Amino acid sequence: QQQQQQQQQAKPKRSAAASASLDDAVALAEKGTMLMSKGFYGDALVVYDKCLNIQLQHLGDRHPMVAHTVDLMGVALLRLGNAEEALETFEKAVYIVEQIYGTGNHPDWALTVFHAGQAYELEAFNYDREKKDANQVMEQLTDKAYELYEKALEVFQSRVEANEADIDVANVVHAMGNVHLMRGEHMEAMRKFKYALEAKIKLLGEEDASVGWTKCNIANTFAGLYKLEDAIKWYKEALDTVTAIYGADHPEVGTVHWNLALAYHAKGEVEAQKRSLTWRNRWPFKFFGQQTKKRLIHEGDDFEKMDQHLHHAFDVFVKRFGEDHVMTSRATAAIMAMRELVRD
């Protein structure tokens, strides 16, 4: 009986898809792309699903347009932070592309393989660092991501002249930098990001969101090296770029605010430690209780800026991702920790 109900519920969906034309599918794909650019990833996923149903009715399940739409659905899931679902979706896209073009020599294959690598990278990023097997699991996931990046890079590089800037090559090299950064290999990460940035500026100009995102990861690398002034400088450049393009409440803008909050927090902790050492024997500081001392040394410009960026990031994450998303949870934990730190 449950199976019959599911079949009956699916009938209107199939009927609507059958009565729609491929032009309708194109319009839906364009709408999905527009929603993605505005950061409405969940809405885009729904639209892409409608597009896919129409394409399947008219084209079958082994067509380049179908593979492309499945891949776009994977990208939407990736932006939503759903690494496992994204990986499953990308693997479907890879399978379809391989049925059409074969393995290892077509740019569509390279693109879907690259996206599958990003899903493995996101799994590593999302993995709970507190678990005992965190290092082992993250190494396995980043190894798999890098393996797929290398396969995609080989195809993309084979299609361009030596030393010619190419956006697909730049994007893959950028992703490789992410893996190096996650592993703590900061100098190699910086080399990858600087290569990607140079190519992107040459191809896209300075005022492109992708350029801003690479600048953000250069800032992440400086932050990992505890070069916090440099990190903040690059974060601000990235924030100016993505805010000008997307507006203040876009998820990518929220992510840059989050990174800036972390950088100001790290910088503030350094200054707080200096104040603690300088003030510890001064009157009346030495007579205060431990909680009051902690609150006093954590006052200052860096912590105020951290608080501003942290709350901006939190507001964006809640609005766009919901309360259960990993980035919302991290921002919530940071806000609660800061409140406890300065509680008198």
Side-chain angles (χ1 to χ4, degrees), residues 125-322:
F125 177 80
N126 288 346
Y127 199 79
D128 187 352
R129 307 296 199 277
E130 300 300 318
K131 290 186 176 181
K132 291 182 179 180
D133 63 349
N135 290 337
Q136 180 182 356
V137 171
M138 288 184 66
E139 182 178 358
Q140 291 171 348
L141 292 170
T142 54
D143 280 348
K144 187 61 179 178
Y146 210 87
E147 176 189 340
L148 295 178
Y149 292 157
E150 288 178 325
K151 290 180 179 180
L153 185 62
E154 183 178 358
V155 175
F156 289 137
Q157 286 182 326
S158 71
R159 304 179 69 83
V160 297
E161 298 294 330
N163 300 320
E164 179 184 357
D166 178 81
I167 193 61
D168 290 317
V169 171
N171 285 335
V172 177
V173 172
H174 174 113
M176 288 176 157
N178 290 341
V179 172
H180 286 296
L181 182 57
M182 212 177 300
R183 291 173 171 174
E185 300 161 356
H186 296 99
M187 299 314 297
E188 187 58 34
M190 186 68 80
R191 279 191 283 271
K192 292 287 194 291
F193 292 140
K194 288 292 183 70
Y195 175 93
L197 181 64
E198 183 179 349
K200 288 181 180 183
I201 290 174
K202 184 175 181 180
L203 293 163
L204 307 172
E206 286 272 5
E207 303 306 316
D208 186 88
S210 184
V211 171
W213 200 242
T214 299
K215 287 183 176 181
C216 183
N217 280 25
I218 288 173
N220 287 339
T221 308
F222 276 123
L225 293 166
Y226 283 89
K227 296 183 177 181
L228 298 171
E229 294 287 357
D230 290 324
I232 290 168
K233 169 184 172 293
W234 281 89
Y235 282 137
K236 286 181 176 179
E237 288 188 23
L239 184 61
D240 288 344
T241 300
V242 295
T243 303
I245 295 167
Y246 293 131
D249 65 344
H250 192 282
E252 291 195 18
V253 176
T255 301
V256 182
H257 277 287
W258 166 253
N259 287 328
L260 257 171
L262 296 181
Y264 276 119
H265 177 262
K267 185 170 179 286
E269 285 292 348
V270 172
E271 296 303 317
Q273 184 63 28
K274 291 178 181 178
R275 286 194 289 271
S276 177
L277 293 172
T278 303
W279 296 353
R280 62 183 177 181
N281 292 319
R282 288 184 182 178
W283 185 93
F285 184 78
K286 64 181 180 178
F287 297 109
F288 293 149
Q290 288 301 314
Q291 190 62 42
T292 302
K293 288 180 179 179
K294 190 181 292 186
R295 178 179 60 78
L296 288 173
I297 66 172
H298 284 87
E299 291 179 347
D301 187 53
D302 289 327
F303 288 107
E304 288 178 7
K305 290 178 180 177
M306 182 216 71
D307 189 65
Q308 292 168 5
H309 289 292
L310 179 57
H311 278 85
H312 189 119
F314 174 79
D315 290 343
V316 172
F317 295 154
V318 169
K319 181 178 179 181
R320 293 304 185 92
F321 295 142

Side-chain angles (χ1 to χ4, degrees), residues 24-75:
D24 294 322
V26 171
L28 286 168
E30 291 174 350
K31 181 180 179 181
T33 300
M34 180 271 293
L35 289 167
M36 287 291 292
S37 70
K38 293 180 179 296
F40 296 104
Y41 307 132
D43 294 337
L45 185 61
V46 173
V47 171
Y48 286 144
D49 185 56
K50 293 178 180 178
C51 173
L52 178 63
N53 282 311
I54 296 171
Q55 291 173 336
L56 289 170
Q57 287 289 329
H58 289 276
L59 304 171
D61 59 1
R62 294 188 183 182
H63 191 280
M65 289 175 65
V66 171
H68 181 60
T69 302
V70 173
D71 185 63
L72 290 173
M73 293 174 74
V75 173

Side-chain angles (χ1 to χ4, degrees), residues 6-22:
Q6 290 174 344
Q7 290 173 347
Q8 289 174 351
Q9 289 171 355
K11 281 181 181 179
K13 193 174 183 179
R14 288 198 297 268
S15 178
S19 64
S21 68
L22 284 175

